[in-house]
Amino acid sequence: MLYSNTQAQVINMDLFRSKLVAHSISLNDEKICFVFATSFQQCPGCGTTAINDRIQKLRKFFPTALYILLVETDDSREIEGNSINTSSDYTFADTVGYIRNVLKAKVIPELYVLTGNGRILFHQNDIPHSSFDTKAIRDSITTRFSENQSVLLKEKTGFIQVINSVALNSNHDKLALVDLAQNKIRVFNTVSGEQEFTVLSSDTLKYFFRKDKYDRDWQLLEQMGAGLVDFAGICFAHNSDTLISIAALFSGYTLDTIIRIKNGKPDSTEQARWQKQLVMISSFNGRITEISHVPQDNNWLTSLSSVDDAYTFTGLSGGIYAIAGTNFMAHSDSVFMVGRYHTKSKRMEPFLSLNNIISSCKTVSFNPGFQGSIASSIASPEIFYLNIWNSIFMIASANGSAKCVEPKGILKDNMRYENINPQQIAMRADTFYNAEITRNEKGVVVIMTKRNTTKQIVKVVIQSYSLNGEFIREDSLPIPEDDYLLDARIVGAWSNKIMLLCKWKKMRWDVETISLP
């Protein structure tokens, strides 16, 4: 589990507020302060090396926190006239006995981890002679987060190896995922962790486009390895437990005769070329209720979101994706990265064109291999679109208007165009390559993960943006050191909560509901 809860003592923070106001910094419960308390009356230089070491290590996990050196002294001018070589953000004088009477310090120098409202999350005295436990400090800071829950998924019908798309219903008690290895959709109860039902690649789906039910070539092609059904994006219908999924179904094939010359003699073999078409599948409690052909030439749908009777998806459309060596920038008015399918009229309409993206975000290069992530909501007609490796973050409306969102923090640092295969990005270490978004009532939530050389996730970052695209906050989620985090996907967000689906090396898959500040 990513978080734990503890009780915290609360102290008066007026001393810090009065000193920080001159620096235009306000304190609230969302702000974390690392306060290092020392004394000129005892030994002003004692512990400086240890303090700097702790600040350097803590900044890696909490770059936006405040680092304050509080010095006990009889006269504040003593600090002004002395050089204290620490890497703290601010150095303040304590001439009123705050360290002794409020913090209750005993063996100086000491470390206090405080919220802006005065909750003591962590305390360590005698810094130079105490071990530095980063895990204890990181765990203590999670006291800002309350009512966190972790529920293990019960993998009774087979282990989940790799997932594609995930979805959460409006009651937040059903989680759907695409199990790529078993090629099926599995739905779990987020309260009990029990698997409730599955949607399988049944014969109804496999042979949906087969004109002749006696055509045995289809069975033979399946035996040869032709994937007759490939599940892609999934979501729940608005205010319903009806599960909507997009799948690419086998629709036909052509046989090519390949002639090779061996030892001066021709040798011919037949090679099948498979065609697939997209369908939208409605199911309830695992039973398929409707299959609709999606009449559009998209190459793939990787993200799906519901708004009333319409479903928004990402994917390339316009037909030119199949042309080798296509210059997408030259055909920007014909390429649509986001579309919307209306279930009542069975109509597909373009939503966001590459031309919209270019004009709004000043895009100069585009790699179609990175299709991005979308987030929409019944609360507003706009959608958010994030494509980190094409350096795109924007809001778009069905009327064609669009505006670029200015990324902040770690997202800004990792927004860049990459002219490589997406699989190469996934193989990189020490880079944030996975960025997904979801909607809540206030705006959009972004999750980013960073891996090391062993593919272990070493950092999870959550950002929030308003409905207008204004940056709200960024949080790094501490990861326990007694297990390996292998995958982390954002499932949904509502109110001040987010739900993550995490894969651990020891614990396997769990659903984590986290309350943000």
Side-chain angles (χ1 to χ4, degrees):
M1 185 175 177
L2 290 174
Y3 295 95
S4 61
N5 282 314
T6 60
Q7 297 297 320
Q9 176 188 352
V10 179
I11 63 172
N12 188 301
M13 294 289 284
D14 288 346
L15 174 71
F16 297 107
R17 288 194 178 93
S18 63
K19 293 180 180 295
L20 287 169
V21 68
H23 302 278
S24 300
I25 296 176
S26 59
L27 294 179
N28 53 48
D29 201 45
E30 298 178 1
K31 197 66 177 178
I32 292 297
C33 304
F34 292 94
V35 177
F36 295 87
T38 188
S39 174
F40 265 13
Q41 297 172 353
Q42 291 186 0
C43 180
C46 294
T48 301
T49 301
I51 290 173
N52 281 332
D53 177 70
R54 279 156 173 73
I55 291 177
Q56 180 182 6
K57 292 178 179 177
L58 287 169
R59 282 193 192 275
K60 294 179 180 179
F61 296 101
F62 306 102
T64 60
L66 286 179
Y67 295 84
I68 299 172
L69 180 66
L70 186 62
V71 183
E72 182 182 53
T73 180
D74 292 327
D75 191 332
S76 61
R77 291 174 297 180
E78 293 180 347
I79 293 180
E80 297 173 2
N82 286 273
S83 175
I84 304 175
N85 296 317
T86 69
S87 54
S88 61
D89 298 322
Y90 304 101
T91 299
F92 297 142
D94 172 23
T95 59
V96 296
Y98 187 89
I99 291 175
R100 303 292 181 179
N101 300 323
V102 179
L103 295 178
K104 307 294 184 183
K106 295 180 180 179
V107 186
I108 289 175
E110 301 193 0
L111 166 63
Y112 296 84
V113 183
L114 310 174
T115 67
N117 285 345
R119 284 192 291 159
I120 300 179
L121 305 181
F122 181 87
H123 169 228
Q124 184 181 58
N125 58 28
D126 194 13
I127 293 176
H129 305 101
S130 301
S131 61
F132 185 52
D133 187 352
T134 58
K135 182 180 183 301
I137 295 176
R138 288 154 55 195
D139 286 348
S140 71
I141 289 179
T142 64
T143 55
R144 292 183 300 157
F145 305 88
S146 59
E147 302 177 7
N148 303 322
Q149 299 177 352
S150 173
V151 178
L152 289 175
L153 297 187
K154 298 176 174 63
E155 303 171 80
K156 294 181 178 179
T157 61
F159 285 116
I160 305 168
Q161 298 179 30
V162 182
I163 62 173
N164 183 3
S165 181
V166 294
L168 184 69
N169 69 344
S170 56
N171 290 329
H172 316 131
D173 60 357
K174 285 184 173 57
L175 164 70
L177 59 87
V178 176
D179 185 333
L180 288 179
Q182 298 192 47
N183 195 29
K184 63 183 178 182
I185 300 172
R186 303 168 71 166
V187 179
F188 292 86
N189 186 293
T190 61
V191 179
S192 66
E194 296 285 351
Q195 180 174 297
E196 294 194 347
F197 56 86
T198 61
V199 179
L200 304 173
S201 55
S202 62
D203 287 351
T204 303
L205 293 175
K206 290 179 181 178
Y207 307 128
F208 182 78
F209 287 106
R210 185 176 62 175
K211 296 181 176 62
D212 183 355
K213 67 178 181 179
Y214 299 107
D215 187 348
R216 295 187 57 81
D217 286 344
W218 287 48
Q219 288 93 331
L220 294 175
L221 287 170
E222 183 179 17
Q223 294 174 8
M224 293 167 55
L228 302 187
V229 179
D230 288 317
F231 291 110
I234 57 174
C235 70
F236 283 94
H238 180 65
N239 286 335
S240 170
D241 284 343
T242 296
L243 183 63
I244 307 298
S245 55
I246 287 289
L249 305 186
F250 186 79
S251 61
Y253 62 93
T254 58
L255 292 176
D256 295 331
T257 301
I258 309 298
I259 301 177
R260 297 182 177 87
I261 304 299
K262 292 184 178 180
N263 299 324
K265 297 181 180 180
D267 179 58
S268 63
T269 58
E270 288 188 335
Q271 185 175 20
R273 285 192 298 152
W274 308 324
Q275 293 102 38
K276 292 188 176 183
Q277 297 188 50
L278 296 172
V279 298
M280 179 170 285
I281 305 165
S282 299
S283 60
F284 187 78
N285 288 340
R287 183 176 63 88
I288 295 176
T289 57
E290 183 180 3
I291 305 174
S292 302
H293 179 215
V294 179
Q296 183 75 7
D297 49 354
N298 302 279
N299 69 330
W300 201 242
L301 302 182
T302 57
S303 183
L304 191 65
S305 181
S306 66
V307 178
D308 202 7
D309 71 323
Y311 296 89
T312 308
F313 59 85
T314 59
L316 287 174
S317 66
I320 67 168
Y321 62 82
I323 304 174
T326 295
N327 182 349
F328 286 85
M329 301 299 288
H331 298 272
S332 60
D333 58 341
S334 303
V335 178
F336 294 90
M337 294 304 300
V338 178
R340 182 164 282 177
Y341 179 71
H342 296 269
T343 55
K344 292 181 180 179
S345 62
K346 309 296 182 186
R347 179 174 55 88
M348 180 77 74
E349 66 177 6
F351 195 95
L352 178 63
S353 71
L354 183 55
N355 195 51
N356 292 136
I357 295 172
I358 292 171
S359 60
S360 301
C361 295
K362 312 303 179 185
T363 303
V364 296
S365 299
F366 182 78
N367 185 340
F370 299 102
Q371 295 183 11
S373 176
I374 56 172
S376 61
S377 170
I378 193 68
S380 61
E382 295 84 14
I383 65 145
F384 281 79
Y385 176 66
L386 174 63
N387 193 322
I388 187 171
W389 298 113
N390 277 307
S391 193
I392 300 166
F393 189 20
M394 63 187 304
I395 305 173
S397 300
N399 61 11
S401 64
K403 74 172 185 177
C404 192
V405 176
E406 182 181 359
K408 298 289 187 178
I410 290 178
L411 181 60
K412 179 180 179 179
D413 295 339
N414 289 273
M415 292 275 281
R416 56 185 177 273
Y417 170 71
E418 291 280 1
N419 188 25
I420 61 175
N421 187 288
Q423 282 71 32
Q424 292 176 274
I425 290 288
M427 297 299 290
R428 286 183 182 175
D430 298 325
T431 183
F432 287 90
Y433 78 91
N434 183 23
E436 298 177 319
I437 55 176
T438 190
R439 282 285 298 270
N440 60 13
E441 301 88 342
K442 300 177 182 178
V444 67
V445 178
V446 181
I447 182 174
M448 292 166 282
T449 56
K450 180 179 181 180
R451 298 178 185 269
N452 61 15
T453 54
T454 63
K455 308 309 173 194
Q456 173 188 351
I457 292 178
V458 294
K459 194 165 189 178
V460 179
V461 174
I462 299 291
Q463 286 190 346
S464 299
Y465 293 82
S466 71
L467 290 172
N468 294 323
E470 298 172 348
F471 176 75
I472 298 175
R473 62 178 296 114
E474 176 179 287
D475 292 286
S476 295
L477 308 186
I479 301 173
E481 297 177 355
D482 57 351
D483 202 348
Y484 295 97
L485 182 59
L486 303 176
D487 199 1
R489 306 287 297 273
I490 194 161
V491 177
W494 66 98
S495 186
N496 69 324
K497 291 180 170 58
I498 61 171
M499 182 176 286
L500 301 180
L501 176 61
C502 299
K503 182 181 182 182
W504 304 88
K505 185 174 182 179
K506 298 177 183 177
M507 196 169 56
R508 297 293 300 166
W509 294 90
D510 78 335
V511 177
E512 305 205 10
T513 305
I514 301 167
S515 297
L516 295 175

